[in-house]
Amino acid sequence: MRMSVYLSAIIAFVALAAGSIILPDWAMFLFAMALAKGLVCLGIIGMMRGGVVSFGQGLYYCIGAYTATLIANHLGVSDIFLLTLLSAAVCLVVGLVFGPLLSNYRGIFFAMLSLALSMVLYGSLSKMSFIGGTDGLNIGAPTFLGWAPEGRPLQTALYLYVVAIVVISGTLMRIYFDSERGLITLATRDNELRVEYLGASVRNLMTYNYVFGALLGGIGGTIAVLALGHVDPEFAFWTTSGEFVFVAILAGYLSVPAVFVAAIILELVRSFSNLYFPNTWQLALGIFLLVVIVALPNGLGSLVSKRKENKT
Amino acid sequence: MSAGVLEVRDVQKSFGAVTAAKDVSVTVPQGSVYSLIGTNGAGKTTFVNMVTGYIKPDAGQINFDGRDIAGLAPRQITRLGIHRSFQIAQLCNELTVEENMLVAGAIHGKTGPSFLRRADDGSARDRALATLERFNIAEHRNRLIPELSGGVKKLLDIAMAMAGETQVMLLDEPTSGVAADEKFPIMDLVIEALRAEGVTVIFVEHDMDIVTRYSERVLAFYDGQIIADDAPDEVLSDPEVQRYVTGGPA
Ligand SMILES: Nc1ncnc2c1ncn2[C@@H]1O[C@H](COP(=O)(O)OP(=O)(O)OP(=O)(O)O)[C@@H](O)[C@H]1O
Ligand SMILES: [Mg+2]
């Protein structure tokens, strides 16, 4: 069974990596951004499996992006691996501070508190003119273990980097979802009382899922800012977080690849409808989500997952 | 009198104006089978809830193995070896019978639940299946909870509670919601399984035939108080119990 997870990982890597050869520049950028955002959404999926949805993942997306930018600009670090690692470490610490607090809340309270935290960050960053205020900051191109590509090679390297991170994170999360703790998390979503009475700490489970979400959010933000070359407080704005939730609901919590497929669909729908119906693309997106929710209440993932659906 | 595995001393609990436990004291010896009887609202579930940590008593002590456990969280009490089943079976509806059992096994495993080990790893499934077989519900393993009969749900609820090392098991109305002809077979199965492991059993029951057949000792609750604590025949022929609990000679 574990073999099939690794096999899917290899197939996913090869398929996505092939994109670096066949995709035109604009599409490769679009895919890189979609995959980076997909990482953030994967973190939301981890929480959804435990029955809570964070409406504030923009918090970590933004912290990751700002951390990478500030470290690059002030400490002169440009190595992508180091930047990712440091941003992830900062998000880990922040996640460990807020995780135990938020893990006491469920449902709308959890969603609103996580949203509130991200909006506090948005508000504060907008006021801090020494780090750019609402204009944000620029970041230079990353280097790869000393190699400093430019143009198409840079884009390709960045794209392959995000593909590798996505495949590794996706595989690790799949292993976690299939693990004993993964199953206990699903049980918690269903019946917290039962899980507590079996002797497990639901708060602990929730904290872990929150911290994993923080890590993935930070890594996603780091890659996004390196692809864009720019970060501003909008990274923490509620519409950004809302998009992550949109993707998570579209994907459902059953399948990991579905998260990235959903993220890519969102980016494609956005850029095409932006082109053809500039003012109504949110409407198109809304209708699309409505159709998915009605037709596939467990998201796109239910098309491929073997898990039985509860009809009651 | 020898010290019991579970000693409840002068426990009190009120919900606003309702007194759900008043000077409740009882000593339950290791390996015995007790039943709790009483009319609706007499305080039986409150007793179970206090012993298992769902409700913190206002006053009094609950000693288990010489340690005061009053006010500990349910999961801490579970870890000490006091397990329970519920008046309304508490199961995970989106999971199959086997997955419910795997959850219980994963939590009770010796090393604690893992982030890496597959939940449906071969040996975990073997263990889950063995427990399901012991409770005669293995044939339902691939079904989801809402498809099950009341009896199977109750058995699964108890089987899950039994996945860990159990010293004391509290069963809250194990036969409620169970078809009449299934009640005795279920009690036979459950009491036998618990007895085989030397588990101390306390069960809440409204059916006096079941009380007499399976318990060694009966606690009669009335209005938050224990009004009788004796062998089944003695308790059921007690005039006070007949007046307040059973509503006439048994
Ligand atoms: N959490 C609670 N909040 C408020 N009142 C409660 C609570 N739990 C129990 N009570 C009250 O305490 C009293 C005892 O209830 P309890 O559930 O212990 O009765 P019981 O003997 O189990 O009855 P039944 O046979 O109906 O299950 C009742 O009057 C009940 O309404
Ligand atoms: Mg009750």
Side-chain angles (χ1 to χ4, degrees):
Chain A
M1 291 293 271
R2 188 51 69 72
M3 277 317 289
S4 73
V5 174
Y6 295 138
L7 200 65
S8 318
I10 293 169
I11 293 170
F13 182 80
V14 172
L16 285 169
S20 68
I21 302 164
I22 55 176
L23 292 175
D25 285 2
W26 67 267
M28 202 151 68
F29 172 76
L30 184 146
F31 271 63
M33 282 305 287
L35 293 175
K37 290 180 180 177
L39 283 170
V40 188
C41 305
L42 183 58
I44 299 182
I45 296 295
M47 288 182 255
M48 261 169 74
R49 290 172 60 91
V52 293
V53 178
S54 161
F55 260 85
Q57 279 320 86
L59 177 72
Y60 296 102
Y61 186 62
C62 186
I63 292 177
Y66 268 92
T67 306
T69 308
L70 291 171
I71 288 174
N73 293 352
H74 293 280
L75 302 178
V77 174
S78 63
D79 186 70
I80 194 165
F81 296 93
L82 204 53
L83 286 175
T84 311
L85 212 63
L86 292 171
S87 305
V90 170
C91 287
L92 175 69
V93 171
V94 179
L96 284 171
V97 171
F98 292 129
L101 175 81
L102 281 165
S103 61
N104 287 321
Y105 298 90
R106 302 289 177 270
I108 194 71
F109 301 102
F110 181 90
M112 288 299 125
L113 266 174
S114 56
L115 174 66
L117 289 176
S118 68
M119 288 308 285
V120 167
L121 181 68
Y122 171 79
S124 317
L125 287 173
S126 305
K127 297 279 174 304
M128 292 187 201
S129 49
F130 62 97
I131 49 170
T134 49
D135 292 339
L137 297 168
N138 291 329
I139 181 171
T143 57
F144 299 79
L145 303 171
W147 179 49
E150 282 171 36
R152 173 89 188 183
L154 170 62
Q155 261 215 325
T156 307
L158 198 62
Y159 174 76
L160 289 175
Y161 181 74
V162 61
V163 165
I165 298 257
V166 159
V167 170
I168 292 168
S169 311
T171 307
L172 288 175
M173 288 305 268
R174 183 75 259 167
I175 289 172
Y176 167 48
F177 293 164
D178 289 340
S179 75
E180 292 177 343
R181 276 182 182 271
L183 184 63
I184 297 169
T185 298
L186 271 189
T188 302
R189 168 197 175 81
D190 233 345
N191 194 335
E192 234 176 83
L193 182 72
R194 167 42 96 186
V195 172
E196 281 277 332
Y197 263 109
L198 285 170
S201 162
V202 169
R203 244 194 106 191
N204 249 332
L205 286 168
M206 295 285 174
T207 304
Y208 276 116
N209 290 331
Y210 184 82
V211 170
F212 293 154
L215 276 172
L216 289 166
I219 295 172
T222 306
I223 295 170
V225 73
L226 289 170
L228 283 167
H230 179 79
V231 59
D232 60 47
E234 291 282 323
F235 272 54
F237 199 55
W238 67 269
T239 51
T240 310
S241 300
E243 258 180 42
F244 297 142
V245 174
F246 179 101
V247 169
I249 292 174
L250 183 58
Y253 65 85
L254 297 172
S255 150
V256 168
V259 180
F260 296 97
V261 170
I264 290 170
I265 290 176
L266 175 73
E267 289 301 316
L268 286 174
V269 171
R270 191 217 314 273
S271 45
F272 283 105
S273 31
N274 230 345
L275 207 61
Y276 297 113
F277 344 90
N279 300 315
T280 49
W281 76 272
Q282 281 102 336
L283 186 72
L285 222 53
I287 292 169
F288 183 54
L289 184 63
L290 212 67
V291 170
V292 171
I293 288 176
V294 171
L296 297 168
N298 280 323
L300 294 177
S302 53
L303 292 174
V304 289
S305 170
K306 286 187 286 291
R307 176 167 288 285
K308 271 212 228 176
E309 270 176 55
N310 192 348
K311 304 272 179 339
T312 51
Chain B
M1 187 170 178
S2 72
V5 62
L6 188 70
E7 292 181 51
V8 177
R9 288 277 154 269
D10 301 322
V11 160
Q12 322 279 340
K13 182 73 201 181
S14 311
F15 299 103
V18 178
T19 305
K22 190 170 169 222
D23 300 322
V24 170
S25 295
V26 59
T27 299
V28 182
Q30 171 89 50
S32 52
V33 179
Y34 271 57
S35 61
L36 308 187
I37 62 171
T39 49
N40 293 125
K44 306 177 299 291
T45 297
T46 301
F47 178 86
V48 172
N49 283 343
M50 289 191 297
V51 172
T52 58
Y54 188 64
I55 291 174
K56 186 176 161 52
D58 296 334
Q61 285 188 334
I62 301 171
N63 288 313
F64 171 62
D65 260 353
R67 170 175 175 188
D68 188 6
I69 58 166
L72 292 185
R75 67 167 184 286
Q76 294 170 308
I77 292 176
T78 297
R79 294 207 165 276
L80 294 173
I82 301 184
H83 297 184
R84 73 173 291 182
S85 73
F86 296 83
Q87 193 164 340
I88 296 167
Q90 294 294 320
L91 305 166
C92 301
N93 289 331
E94 289 178 27
L95 304 182
T96 63
V97 168
E98 183 181 69
E99 284 171 328
N100 268 278
M101 206 58 230
L102 286 170
V103 170
I107 296 175
H108 288 305
K110 299 222 160 36
T111 51
S114 160
F115 284 105
L116 300 175
R117 199 180 322 124
R118 283 194 68 104
D120 60 355
D121 167 88
S123 64
R125 290 186 69 179
D126 290 346
R127 256 177 290 129
L129 201 59
T131 313
L132 293 176
E133 266 162 8
R134 192 144 62 100
F135 286 90
N136 233 341
I137 48 177
E139 64 188 283
H140 304 289
R141 64 181 175 276
N142 292 322
R143 299 173 73 186
L144 290 169
I145 305 308
E147 303 165 9
L148 305 175
S149 71
V152 176
K153 283 187 197 175
K154 283 286 191 186
L155 282 170
L156 177 58
D157 191 47
I158 296 166
M160 286 172 77
M162 281 291 286
E165 292 204 351
T166 314
Q167 282 198 60
V168 175
M169 175 69 86
L170 294 105
L171 307 168
D172 197 354
E173 304 200 12
T175 66
S176 77
V178 171
D181 60 338
E182 283 181 38
K183 291 188 186 213
F184 280 98
I186 283 181
M187 285 305 282
D188 278 343
L189 203 66
V190 170
I191 299 295
E192 201 171 300
L194 291 166
R195 273 239 166 92
E197 301 196 5
V199 174
T200 307
V201 185
I202 300 171
F203 68 92
V204 177
E205 186 54 63
H206 284 287
D207 184 331
M208 294 308 141
D209 291 335
I210 290 177
V211 167
T212 2
R213 174 127 151 214
Y214 297 98
S215 56
E216 293 155 7
R217 212 172 162 96
V218 181
L219 302 176
F221 278 77
Y222 175 70
D223 210 10
Q225 282 177 282
I226 295 180
I227 57 170
D229 171 0
D230 213 327
D233 291 344
E234 306 295 327
V235 170
L236 296 182
S237 57
D238 181 321
E240 215 184 353
V241 171
Q242 290 183 351
R243 177 145 21 102
Y244 294 123
V245 183
T246 55

